[in-house]
Amino acid sequence: MAAPNPPAELDVRMEAKYIYDMLLFHMYSTFGGFCLNVAGLTAIALGGIRYYQGKHSLGAAFAFMLLGIIIIAATPASLWARARATMKQERYQGVIHYTFHDGGIEETMASGAAHHYDWSQVAKAVNTPKTIAYYMEGAGSVLVFPKAAFTEETFRGAMWHLSHNVVMGKIYIH
């Protein structure tokens, strides 16, 4: 067993852009997100090809292309709306304090409410462009940590606890 490491503490003031970043990553790293993009691009291409072949009028071609654009744009727009709605939850109305230690993760809300997550609950940990996200089993939630909230020391400490308490096959942080 590894030698104990001191707890790492992190204060997070959540913003919609961080939740949006995690939602985008989640959506477009799945087969469904890929299929949505393919469907949108197919509608755009179909409109152009069918017009070029003389099988559709210019209006019909534009309708196909508009449909493709709507399909492609709808997902990010709905995810942005979802992120903004999520920010209205009480948990995000103040600073959230996290402590990473050998026993798990302690989460303390500005309201004083506290939660404990065992390392065994981490289904996977991923790196997105703006965040580190821990998908939690059982809790049905995702813990989102903005990269901007970490200092170098806090990041090293949090990652030490993650890497020493979670199976490496569940960690997708590079």
Side-chain angles (χ1 to χ4, degrees):
M1 179 161 184
N5 203 35
E9 298 191 24
L10 179 68
D11 288 323
V12 172
R13 179 169 293 283
M14 191 55 67
E15 296 179 35
K17 67 182 179 181
Y18 299 127
I19 294 172
Y20 178 65
D21 179 70
M22 185 276 304
L23 290 171
L24 274 178
F25 176 84
H26 181 77
M27 173 54 93
Y28 290 116
S29 65
T30 64
F31 184 68
F34 173 76
C35 287
L36 279 173
N37 281 338
V38 169
L41 292 173
T42 300
I44 292 169
L46 188 61
I49 291 169
R50 302 280 292 177
Y51 176 73
Y52 178 75
Q53 293 174 340
K55 296 182 180 179
H56 279 354
S57 67
L58 184 59
F62 277 131
F64 268 94
M65 291 178 185
L66 181 60
L67 174 65
I69 291 169
I70 290 170
I71 290 170
I72 291 171
T75 299
S78 68
L79 292 177
W80 178 249
R82 185 172 164 195
R84 289 179 51 95
T86 300
M87 284 301 298
K88 293 178 182 173
Q89 293 177 10
E90 184 180 337
R91 70 178 287 134
Y92 297 121
Q93 300 309 306
V95 174
I96 305 170
H97 181 78
Y98 292 97
T99 304
F100 304 85
H101 55 80
D102 286 334
I105 305 165
E106 303 297 330
E107 176 184 59
T108 307
M109 310 297 173
S111 66
H115 301 98
H116 171 81
Y117 302 97
D118 287 324
W119 290 113
S120 63
Q121 288 178 266
V122 177
K124 69 179 176 177
V126 299
N127 180 38
T128 74
K130 295 179 185 173
T131 68
I132 303 291
Y134 291 6
Y135 289 79
M136 307 304 287
E137 291 177 352
S141 64
V142 179
L143 300 178
V144 179
F145 309 109
K147 289 179 180 177
F150 285 98
T151 64
E152 189 174 326
E153 181 180 339
T154 302
F155 182 78
R156 274 196 313 262
M159 292 305 109
W160 188 94
H161 286 289
L162 176 69
S163 67
H164 284 80
N165 292 289
V166 176
V167 176
M168 292 306 284
K170 295 181 177 184
I171 302 173
Y172 303 94
I173 299 173
H174 308 342

